[in-house]
Amino acid sequence: MSHRLDEWDRQIIAVLQRDGRAANVGVARQLGLAEATVRKRVDRLLASGVIRVVAVPDPECLGLATRMIIAIQTEQTQLEAIASRLAALPEVCSVSIITGAYDIIIDVALPSSGSLLSFIMDRVVTIPGVKRTDTYHVLKMVKRSCDWGIPDESAIGTGQPTRSFTPASQEVVPGAIVIPS
C-alpha cells in the first residue's frame, strides 16, 4: 500500500532519522510545530507502517569488520526454503531474492576475511539446492539503508538528487533510529 506524505511528514522523518530518540517536543521545536501535531503524525506514521523505530547495531563495533556480498544461484524449486535458511544464519545481515544470473543475494558480516571460506563451505553451500556462489568484498559502505531519504515524488525517475547526502557516521545519532519500512 502506498502512503502519501506531505512536507511535514517528510521533515519529521528526516529529524527522526538523525536522532530516533528525539522527543516529540524536541522535533516540534525544530520544525516550529505543536507537540501534539508531531505526536499525532508520528503515531500515524508508525501505525501505518511508513516508519518503524529500531536499534541498528554496527557490525564493525561488534568485531565483525569484514562485510561480504554473496550472490547465490539456486535450484528454483528450493528458492524460498534456501532464502529462509540463509536468513536464519546469525552472520547474515540481509537476504534478497533477485533477478538475473543469481537468485539470492546476501549481505554478511564476518570477523575476518579468513572466516569467509568456512562460512561459505560449511554454512552456505551445504544448504540443499545451492548451486553456485559469487563473493564480493565490501571495501567501504558509503550509504546504509537507514541513511535512505524519502525522495521527492517529482524527482523520481529523473536521476536528480532530492536532498544532499551526509554519510551516517556524520549525521545519525547513535541509538534507536527511524527506518522507512
Side-chain angles (χ1 to χ4, degrees), residues 99-135:
T99 61
Y102 291 91
D103 305 302
I104 297 173
I105 199 159
I106 61 175
D107 176 7
V108 180
L110 299 168
S112 67
S113 295
S115 57
L116 176 62
L117 180 63
S118 64
F119 176 78
I120 291 175
M121 298 307 291
D122 299 338
R123 313 287 299 282
V124 177
V125 299
T126 57
I127 298 173
V130 169
K131 292 169 40 177
R132 178 179 174 213
T133 66
D134 207 353
T135 304

Side-chain angles (χ1 to χ4, degrees), residues 68-83:
M68 300 286 180
I69 302 295
I70 303 173
I72 303 165
Q73 195 174 62
T74 70
E75 293 291 340
Q76 291 299 304
T77 58
Q78 297 176 329
L79 179 63
E80 294 284 345
I82 293 168

Side-chain angles (χ1 to χ4, degrees), residues 8 12-13 15 29 85 87-88 134 142 145 150 152 170 177:
W8 290 121
I12 290 168
I13 293 169
V15 170
R29 195 175 305 122
R85 293 266 309 263
D134 207 353
V142 178
S145 63
I150 301 167
D152 181 359
Q170 297 173 13
I177 63 170

